[in-house]
């Protein structure tokens, strides 16, 4: 399977030409790109991939909204839209080691020294209140300075000058850990960012495993073949050979810079904080590179991140409750789980599994398997009719959560809560749900009784 974004676009075009929209008119990268995506979604109910050919102030066209449809993500994973969770779990279970190649399209143009200028890239400002232009589709590639493991992650970059950005390292996550090991020794952490990749690579970057797990293996498994990597110009880091663009850089020790506010997936524009500083050393790119943007806080962002999160949460719950049925992340910091409870107490174990395995998860609702998690009304019904709050709600105080949660009192500290909305002592022994006798259900023919059906 080809590993580049361009081949994926060809595949999408073949399947449904309407799914790609090329915009020829010049747009201002300040707000107009996000506004187009949002208006199309709200007013025209459309979520195509958008390619803006002329972006004011830059020679690079912008591509955005690539991930805003489950059927496109399914296509990238070579599966059906209702099978994405299974496909992702299969990839986690069967990672494919990457392969190093000598030649790569991403080396067609190499910019260093005076040629290097981040301000030549599209300066995309996403939302009102953002502190400046942000790169939202950068996947970081880094190595543990004290070991052999590697890490890939999405990190937002705020453009601060020709060769400088700030970086948002998720507190206590893997790249943050690597950086702190380097900084403790007064050393910079080499890092490279891939921009413009096949969506299978994007999905793999979000694999939410332990620090020892290699996201590149998941990318390969999702692609169906080893991810091809090429060595950087200014470090020994390895990066995707078929990316549209690579930014080679290091994160500097002992330096911080103001970053934000920035409108995030939470739906809030979060305030300014001191964050780490990135010094760029080279940019390499394909000829006529497409500069990828992720429309932050919209479906392009949310669909891409929930498929991997739901799969890893499913895995965590299944380790302790083998009869877990479905896991859904319907809103920020929120998780629904349905289980076929064999013995009482399993619901609470499922709550602990979710809260313990992901710093972002703050509220978990566990329901029986007769409840459809994709229907919020059914989940609310289960909470309303099967839960006694004094008995069934558990609160864990002062855990490490996300510092993007505006409700936290102190930076990143959060309480977490679980709601056991399963029937007690068991679904079988619970007050029966009302129903209609099955012979009556089968006998009733709407056409005989109700006009126009
Ligand atoms: Mn990792």
């Amino acid at each position: 399977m080809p590993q580049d974004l361009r081949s994926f676009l060809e595949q999408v075009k073949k399947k449904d030409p309407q799914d790609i929209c090329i915009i020829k008119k010049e747009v201002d990268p300040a707000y107009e790109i996000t506004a187009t995506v949002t208006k199309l979604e709200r007013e025209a109910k459309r979520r195509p991939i958008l390619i803006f050919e002329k972006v004011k102030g830059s020679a690079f066209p912008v591509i955005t909204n690539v991930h805003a449809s489950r059927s496109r993500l399914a296509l990238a994973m070579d599966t059906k839209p209702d099978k994405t969770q299974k496909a992702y779990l299969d990839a986690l279970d069967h990672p494919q080691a990457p392969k190093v190649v000598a030649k790569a399209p991403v080396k067609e143009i190499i910019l260093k020294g005076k040629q290097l200028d981040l301000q030549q890239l599209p300066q995309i400002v996403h939302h009102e209140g953002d502190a400046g232009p942000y790169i939202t589709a950068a996947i970081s590639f880094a190595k543990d300075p004290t070991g052999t493991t590697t890490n890939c992650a999405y990190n937002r970059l705020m453009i601060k000058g020709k060769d400088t950005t700030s970086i948002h390292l998720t507190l206590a996550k893997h790249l943050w850990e690597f950086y702190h090991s380097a900084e403790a020794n007064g050393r910079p952490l080499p890092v490279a960012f891939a921009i413009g990749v096949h969506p299978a690579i994007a999905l793999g970057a979000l694999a939410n495993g332990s620090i020892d797990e290699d996201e590149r293996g998941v990318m390969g498994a999702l692609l169906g073949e080893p991810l091809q990597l090429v060595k950087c110009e200014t470090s020994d880091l390895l990066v995707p050979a078929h990316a549209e663009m690579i930014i080679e850089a290091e994160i500097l020790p002992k330096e911080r810079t103001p970053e934000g506010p920035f409108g995030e997936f939470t739906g809030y524009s979060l305030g300014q904080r001191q964050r780490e500083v990135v010094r760029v050393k080279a940019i390499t790119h394909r000829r006529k590179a497409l500069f990828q943007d992720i429309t932050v806080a919209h479906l392009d962002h949310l669909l891409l991140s929930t498929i991997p999160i739901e799969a890893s949460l499913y895995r965590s719950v299944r380790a302790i409750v083998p009869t877990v049925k479905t896991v859904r992340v319907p809103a920020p910091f929120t998780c629904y789980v349905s289980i076929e409870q064999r013995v009482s107490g399993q619901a609470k174990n499922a709550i602990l599994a979710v809260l313990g395995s992901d710093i972002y998860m703050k509220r978990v609702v566990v329901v029986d398997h007769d409840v459809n998690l994709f229907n919020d009304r059914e989940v609310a019904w289960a909470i309303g009719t099967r839960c006694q709050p004094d008995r069934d709600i558990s609160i864990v105080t002062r855990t490490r959560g996300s510092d993007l949660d505006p409700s936290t009192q102190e930076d990143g500290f959060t309480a977490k809560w679980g709601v056991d909305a399963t029937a007690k002592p068991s679904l079988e022994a619970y007050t029966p749900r009302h129903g209609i006798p099955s012979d009556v259900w089968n006998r009733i023919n709407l056409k005989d009784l109700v006009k126009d059906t």
Side-chain angles (χ1 to χ4, degrees):
M1 184 151 103
Q3 306 195 354
D4 59 349
L5 180 56
R6 296 172 193 202
S7 310
F8 179 70
L9 295 178
E10 286 305 316
Q11 221 184 332
V12 172
K13 205 154 91 188
K14 228 165 142 188
K15 200 169 166 243
D16 179 8
Q18 299 276 308
D19 223 14
I20 299 183
C21 215
I22 296 181
I23 291 129
K24 295 194 179 297
K25 202 176 163 210
E26 187 183 73
V27 291
D28 191 324
Y31 314 115
E32 289 192 358
I33 290 171
T34 310
T36 310
V37 171
T38 312
K39 269 208 151 178
L40 259 175
E41 192 183 312
R42 282 195 200 154
E43 293 178 11
K45 309 283 178 225
R46 286 190 61 201
R47 291 182 257 142
I49 294 172
L50 295 172
I51 299 172
F52 295 89
E53 285 190 335
K54 283 188 206 130
V55 177
K56 207 168 141 190
S58 176
F60 293 94
V62 168
I63 179 165
T64 194
N65 226 29
V66 172
H67 318 108
S69 114
R70 192 175 282 270
S71 69
R72 285 200 295 269
L73 291 174
L75 181 69
M77 297 160 83
D78 198 21
T79 190
K80 298 266 176 286
D82 61 342
K83 298 275 188 303
T84 52
Q85 188 164 98
K86 189 181 179 306
Y88 203 89
L89 283 163
D90 283 348
L92 291 178
D93 289 339
H94 306 286
Q96 283 207 33
K99 181 179 149 190
V100 180
V101 296
K103 281 192 171 173
V106 77
K107 303 283 190 181
E108 282 170 357
I109 314 277
I110 297 174
L111 304 169
K112 284 190 209 168
K114 283 206 173 101
Q115 288 177 302
L116 193 76
D117 186 0
L118 293 170
Q119 285 161 338
Q120 299 290 317
L121 302 178
Q123 305 292 295
I124 304 172
V125 186
H126 295 82
H127 291 104
E128 211 170 3
D130 285 3
Y134 271 81
I135 301 173
T136 56
I139 302 173
S140 61
F141 284 72
K143 275 202 297 204
D144 182 352
T146 63
T148 54
T149 58
T150 62
N151 195 64
C152 302
Y154 273 96
N155 303 90
R156 71 188 200 206
L157 303 172
M158 180 179 165
I159 300 172
K160 294 218 130 194
K162 282 187 170 188
D163 65 350
T164 310
T165 76
S166 57
I167 182 166
H168 176 256
L169 301 173
T170 306
L171 218 63
K173 287 285 284 184
H174 307 162
L175 185 61
W176 183 89
E177 193 58 44
F178 289 2
Y179 171 69
H180 276 265
S181 301
E183 190 183 43
N185 294 315
R187 299 184 68 86
L189 180 76
V191 63
F193 301 97
I195 298 171
V197 295
H198 190 288
I201 297 175
L203 284 160
L206 288 156
N208 205 10
S210 96
I211 196 164
D212 301 314
E213 284 174 272
D214 188 343
E215 289 86 358
R216 301 172 310 171
V218 183
M219 295 171 183
L222 291 170
L223 283 166
E225 63 179 31
L227 175 70
Q228 293 187 16
L229 298 169
V230 67
K231 202 177 104 34
C232 278
E233 298 299 303
T234 60
S235 72
D236 58 359
L237 287 173
L238 297 167
V239 287
H242 300 273
E244 291 295 315
M245 180 180 287
I246 299 290
I247 297 178
E248 301 184 11
E250 43 189 37
I251 312 177
L252 305 178
K254 317 276 182 216
E255 275 196 48
R256 300 292 186 272
T257 183
E259 190 252 16
F262 183 63
E264 260 293 353
F265 72 95
T266 54
Y268 294 92
S269 178
L270 255 84
Q272 192 187 79
R273 291 195 181 136
Q274 292 290 318
R275 304 247 189 223
E276 290 77 3
V277 179
V278 169
R279 180 68 28 83
V280 177
K281 300 172 91 177
I283 296 176
T284 74
H285 66 85
R286 293 179 68 149
R287 252 177 237 116
K288 298 192 175 144
L290 291 166
F291 183 81
Q292 190 171 6
D293 171 63
I294 289 178
T295 304
V296 64
H298 294 266
L299 281 161
D300 190 19
H301 185 186
L302 302 177
L303 264 180
L304 177 67
S305 48
T306 49
I307 289 174
I309 292 173
E310 286 168 354
S312 64
L313 291 173
Y314 180 93
R315 248 185 156 192
S316 303
V317 177
R318 194 163 155 81
I320 192 156
V321 184
T323 48
V324 56
K325 205 175 157 211
T326 315
V327 172
R328 182 183 168 218
V329 174
F333 313 125
T334 305
C335 179
Y336 296 163
V337 181
S338 64
I339 61 173
E340 196 166 342
Q341 192 156 221
R342 298 279 191 234
V343 285
S344 48
Q346 283 186 307
K348 198 167 268 186
N349 290 355
I351 289 170
L352 294 172
V354 169
L355 295 182
S357 63
D358 189 320
I359 59 169
Y360 285 100
M361 289 304 132
K362 188 169 79 174
R363 180 171 76 111
V364 192
V365 179
V366 182
V367 296
D368 291 298
H369 59 99
D370 64 330
V371 175
N372 176 10
L373 292 188
F374 292 88
N375 182 334
D376 288 320
R377 197 162 158 258
E378 278 196 41
V379 176
W381 169 83
I383 297 171
T385 62
R386 292 177 177 173
C387 167
Q388 279 295 310
D390 58 341
R391 178 193 62 192
D392 297 327
I393 289 182
S394 317
I395 298 176
V396 186
T397 57
R398 286 183 68 79
T399 69
R400 178 52 62 184
S402 167
D403 64 351
L404 298 178
D405 176 356
S407 74
T408 55
Q409 293 294 310
E410 295 159 59
D411 214 16
F413 272 116
T414 186
K416 297 188 174 208
W417 57 306
V419 178
D420 173 358
T422 60
K424 284 131 208 125
S426 70
L427 190 56
E428 292 70 36
Y430 205 62
T431 311
R433 290 176 75 162
H434 60 210
I436 293 159
S438 61
D439 59 320
V440 177
W441 183 265
N442 294 332
R443 193 168 71 221
I444 289 287
N445 187 342
L446 287 181
K447 282 195 172 41
D448 294 344
L449 300 172
V450 186
K451 263 189 189 171
D452 304 325
T453 52

